[in-house]
Amino acid sequence: MPRGNVLSRFACEGGRLSAQELKAEFNALKGTTHYVLRRQRYTDESGTTRIIGGLYYPAGLAALPTSFPRSLPTPRPSYEIRDAPGKGLGVFATRNIAFGEIIVVERPLIVMPLLLLCSPGRTEAERKENTQLTIAALVASLNPDDRRTFFSLSNCKKTLDLGEIFGIIMTNAIKLPVPCVPETYACVCPTISRVNHSCGPNTAFTFDMKTFSMCLQAGRDIPVSTEITASYCTETLSRVERLRELDEKYDFTCTCSYCARPSAASDRARMELQNWEATHPTFKQWLATPNRDPDALLLSSARALLMIKKEGIEIGNSIVHYQNIAAVYAAKGDAAKMKYWLWKLILAHPLDDNRDVAVTRYVHWISDPEKNCPFWAVLAGA
């Protein structure tokens, strides 16, 4: 294990590391060498040379693309950054944004491990100083415009003795999935890191490893002038648990509309959704059940979608129910309804590494359900 103690665990989207996760990260890094500073250059669409500053352990370094392919197409302009009362700056829709639409595609400013081990040094103070110098070099490697963007981001950790750069990173870091490595990474983005929190978010972050791009995707229709939001916590927690998590991670009390009006019914609904997959059958399990009710899964998933919509947590929670409903209609031989729900599923699917395979399969079913769907009309007449 690298010399020194843990300097910081970043408070990232999706929750900070639990004690069990922290122990697993430590075990994964046993015997590894010190992290490496890597500057990755690329040319953006305007012809400007930009740099992504990164700190990587050996496994993460090996997983990086050897060259940057073209990024995803730039979406049609749909937002502006302006004052958000009581929050500083925020991101707002300048036109109606449709469910499933990609709002922002951008490459990170910096990337680094979620669990950062201190740099070598003879004393704890020296190790801490050396690590802070490494992080300063990481940010200094950015081009001047990107450096200014980084230092313009919010810092809710000013009271901690970590310095301005660490405070900005801890406030704005987003968990970044790097496949096939034991450690977890985080990144800071120029625009997406400015998106404020809501316990009923209208967007979600996803990362496309092939183009090394972070994407912001609409989870429902967003009317013009509406603030664009994402979740900084686990949406299916109760209101009290969400408030506690946000206060611990980001030092603020959430005043979103979902927290402003306490509701025992809301807490029960979110808890039920959190435990849904553990307490309800999948389509395959339901299909294999003797004497099944032909409408039970439809009604169950329809009820879940109503709760999800009321709580404003469509992102990440709706997909399994779109899958269930589309599959049931396919099994009943109802092509029109199957296609309707499959298109909703395609729009809701995150832009991750699994999207291409999943969407190709769904489009294949839509093109000729009778020929391509493996369980087409197995319940015809039910």
Side-chain angles (χ1 to χ4, degrees):
M1 173 179 272
R3 227 177 129 188
N5 300 319
V6 177
L7 181 63
S8 176
R9 302 203 312 268
F10 298 121
C12 291
E13 178 269 330
R16 42 169 85 176
L17 292 173
S18 66
Q20 185 176 1
E21 291 169 327
L22 179 60
K23 183 177 180 180
E25 292 274 316
F26 265 125
N27 290 335
L29 293 170
K30 281 181 179 178
T32 190
T33 57
H34 188 59
Y35 47 74
V36 175
L37 175 61
R38 172 62 60 88
R39 300 174 178 88
Q40 297 166 279
R41 287 178 171 80
Y42 70 95
T43 302
D44 67 16
E45 291 184 346
S46 69
T48 303
T49 298
R50 297 193 178 278
I51 295 172
I52 300 174
L55 289 180
Y56 301 94
Y57 292 114
L61 193 62
L64 290 177
T66 54
S67 62
F68 278 121
R70 292 181 62 85
S71 63
L72 295 170
T74 301
R76 185 163 66 95
S78 62
Y79 67 89
E80 64 180 354
I81 297 170
R82 57 178 170 86
D83 286 336
K87 305 177 187 177
L89 295 177
V91 182
F92 292 81
T94 55
R95 60 172 175 81
N96 293 330
I97 299 172
F99 162 54
E101 189 172 343
I102 306 304
I103 302 168
V104 183
V105 175
E106 61 186 5
R107 287 184 170 136
L109 296 171
I110 62 171
V111 177
M112 58 193 303
L114 194 64
L115 173 63
L116 185 63
L117 303 173
C118 284
S119 299
R122 290 172 296 178
T123 65
E124 184 174 345
E126 185 177 327
R127 290 193 292 271
K128 181 176 178 179
E129 181 181 4
N130 289 343
T131 301
Q132 289 177 325
L133 289 172
T134 302
I135 301 302
L138 180 72
V139 175
S141 70
L142 304 177
N143 73 19
D145 287 343
D146 288 341
R147 264 199 314 277
R148 282 191 288 272
T149 297
F150 177 86
F151 283 109
S152 72
L153 294 171
S154 298
N155 178 4
C156 71
K157 301 292 182 180
K158 293 179 181 178
T159 58
L160 298 182
D161 183 24
L162 294 172
E164 180 184 15
I165 292 176
F166 262 110
I168 291 172
I169 292 171
M170 292 182 72
T171 303
N172 296 281
I174 303 167
K175 195 178 290 185
L176 181 149
V178 178
C180 305
V181 299
E183 62 270 15
T184 308
Y185 285 85
C187 68
V188 175
C189 294
T191 299
I192 294 177
S193 287
R194 291 191 183 278
V195 174
N196 288 320
H197 167 79
S198 172
C199 292
N202 51 28
T203 70
F205 312 131
T206 54
F207 188 72
D208 182 65
M209 190 67 183
K210 296 187 294 297
T211 60
F212 213 73
S213 301
M214 187 65 73
C215 307
L216 187 69
Q217 185 175 10
R220 58 177 178 264
D221 291 341
I222 304 174
V224 63
S225 300
T226 301
E227 184 174 10
I228 294 169
T229 58
S231 177
Y232 295 3
C233 66
T234 306
E235 304 100 316
T236 50
L237 294 176
S238 70
R239 174 180 177 272
V240 169
E241 291 169 324
R242 297 195 308 271
L243 290 173
R244 183 187 304 120
E245 184 177 339
L246 291 166
D247 180 59
E248 290 175 353
K249 289 168 57 176
Y250 296 102
D251 303 312
F252 76 87
T253 299
C254 183
T255 58
C256 76
S257 60
Y258 299 91
C259 287
R261 49 177 193 274
S263 166
S266 172
D267 287 348
R268 286 195 299 270
R270 291 186 185 232
M271 180 174 292
E272 184 176 353
L273 291 168
Q274 185 178 54
N275 298 322
W276 191 274
E277 292 188 38
T279 57
H280 291 76
T282 64
F283 169 74
K284 287 184 178 180
Q285 290 168 337
W286 171 80
L287 192 62
T289 303
N291 303 316
R292 74 190 77 77
D293 180 343
D295 293 320
L297 193 60
L298 279 178
L299 295 173
S300 172
S301 281
R303 175 173 167 272
L305 288 173
L306 286 173
M307 288 194 292
I308 288 167
K309 183 176 182 179
K310 184 175 181 180
E311 296 300 320
I313 52 175
E314 292 91 343
I315 298 159
N317 295 294
S318 298
I319 288 178
V320 65
H321 303 293
Y322 293 155
Q323 289 172 332
N324 284 344
I325 295 173
V328 171
Y329 280 126
K332 286 173 171 282
D334 189 328
K337 290 181 179 177
M338 180 204 76
K339 291 178 182 181
Y340 173 82
W341 289 98
L342 281 180
W343 281 120
K344 289 182 75 71
L345 180 55
I346 289 169
L347 289 173
H349 206 290
L351 291 175
D352 56 22
D353 292 339
N354 298 319
R355 178 181 171 85
D356 289 348
V357 173
V359 169
T360 298
R361 180 172 64 251
Y362 301 146
V363 171
H364 193 52
W365 291 0
I366 288 170
S367 66
D368 190 340
E370 186 173 353
K371 178 181 177 183
N372 298 329
C373 181
F375 44 84
W376 175 256
V378 295
L379 299 178

